[in-house]
Amino acid sequence: MPTKSEVIHSIVVTGINTAGLIAKRLLAIVCLAVGWEAAAIADDACSTTALYTYADVTVSDGKTYAVETFYRSKDRATSKFIRDDGGSLHVVEGPFTWTQAGDKAELAKGDQGDFQRDFALGHQFHALMVNYRDIVTDIEPVSGVEFAGGKTSALKGMRDTGGAVYLIDGEVPGRPAGLRYDVGDLKIDIIASAWREVGGTETPFALLIDDGTRTFDYQFKSVDMTDKPLMWYYDSVPSPAIDEIDILRLHKKALVAHCIGDAAMMASLSAPSPVIANNGSIFDTSPEQTLAVFTNVFERRKY
């Protein structure tokens, strides 16, 4: 028996071949098939914006581990914790949040979904400093913000799940002093230092994080803000065995194929033997026919 992912895969590709309406038809069928209005958000499908970091972390209680992050947008962000026990993944992907420890991957739902979204995005420290306005809303300048034992001025922005993120003003233009998270009883100071220029942008290579109980010393081995290929995020963060994520990625990859006008990629996303139902008629098609259709379409249209 086919999985839900395989069934929707056939529905999506069938819709493409039948209607020939490119992304609009694809988008409509995906949303109808799985009932996600949020899946229609495709603002980062053609984006080459990327931010990658790798840091060694030492905790005040003696623990050590590493953190690797992948960032495309606030709807496409991963924080990977690398520990002796194997570590864990915390991933924001469109309307979903999922986690993986070892071979076990699962969707985070309800309050746990909000927590994991905050956790994954909360560890995108460089993204928050560089792309602050893309991640938070209701931004306003404020003063008298408590930070690192004193009070200072900052930009205040609100997270989608509630709580504030402050971008703390620094003494040098272009170098914020850090970040402050204010979520209920949780107050976290993130102090930036060891600044270097990366791709023309001033970037901290050290962070000291104080959650009021412990401190976390981040020493970054890598901070990369160069543009990346459209498939970079999906290649860097393999899809888990979760139907909803497989379906969403199929949708996103089809949009990527449209962005670059790649008919072969569209054909590779096709089910082996799609069945088309159109105005009462039923017939078979193939990836080869998909290739022919989109080769013609992409030759005639400029993307």
Side-chain angles (χ1 to χ4, degrees), residues 91-300:
V91 184
V92 174
E93 193 147 356
F96 301 110
T97 307
W98 57 274
T99 61
Q100 183 169 332
D103 295 330
K104 183 180 180 181
E106 59 184 357
L107 285 178
K109 300 179 180 180
D111 291 342
Q112 186 61 215
D114 287 344
F115 172 80
Q116 288 295 343
R117 179 172 291 268
D118 289 344
F119 190 83
L121 283 174
H123 283 83
Q124 300 288 336
F125 306 116
H126 286 80
L128 277 161
M129 281 189 260
V130 174
N131 302 307
Y132 183 74
R133 294 181 181 276
D134 296 330
I135 300 175
V136 298
T137 59
D138 300 326
I139 298 170
E140 60 177 341
V142 293
S143 59
V145 178
E146 293 185 3
F147 179 74
K151 292 191 176 183
T152 186
S153 57
L155 288 179
K156 177 184 178 182
M158 302 305 295
R159 306 185 311 172
D160 292 342
T161 52
V165 177
Y166 295 89
L167 181 63
I168 307 298
D169 291 343
E171 295 181 359
V172 178
R175 291 186 178 184
L179 299 161
R180 180 178 174 86
Y181 298 163
D182 189 342
V183 185
D185 294 332
L186 186 63
K187 319 290 183 185
I188 300 176
D189 287 344
I190 301 154
I191 304 168
S193 62
W195 291 82
R196 304 180 201 169
E197 187 174 299
V198 175
T201 301
E202 292 287 319
T203 303
F205 271 71
L207 296 173
L208 183 63
I209 301 169
D210 185 348
D211 69 0
T213 303
R214 295 177 296 173
T215 59
F216 302 77
D217 182 6
Y218 277 63
Q219 297 294 320
F220 287 86
K221 289 185 173 180
S222 178
V223 177
D224 182 359
M225 294 188 286
T226 58
D227 287 354
K228 296 291 187 294
L230 298 185
M231 290 296 293
W232 167 78
Y233 183 82
Y234 304 114
D235 291 340
S236 300
V237 185
S239 182
I242 298 174
D243 284 340
E244 290 87 341
I245 303 303
D246 287 342
I247 295 164
L248 181 61
R249 286 201 175 193
L250 173 65
H251 162 61
K252 285 289 188 178
K253 289 177 181 179
L255 291 177
V256 167
H258 286 296
C259 293
I260 58 179
D262 190 335
M265 183 176 176
M266 286 299 307
S268 73
L269 296 172
S270 174
S273 300
V275 176
I276 293 177
N278 185 29
N279 294 327
S281 298
I282 297 177
F283 54 94
D284 295 328
T285 184
S286 69
E288 290 74 21
Q289 287 173 293
T290 301
L291 176 61
V293 168
F294 281 97
T295 297
N296 181 48
V297 168
F298 293 147
E299 285 177 350
R300 290 185 293 108

Side-chain angles (χ1 to χ4, degrees), residues 13-25:
V13 176
T14 294
I16 296 172
N17 290 334
T18 303
L21 293 180
I22 320 303
K24 289 185 179 179
R25 172 59 75 180

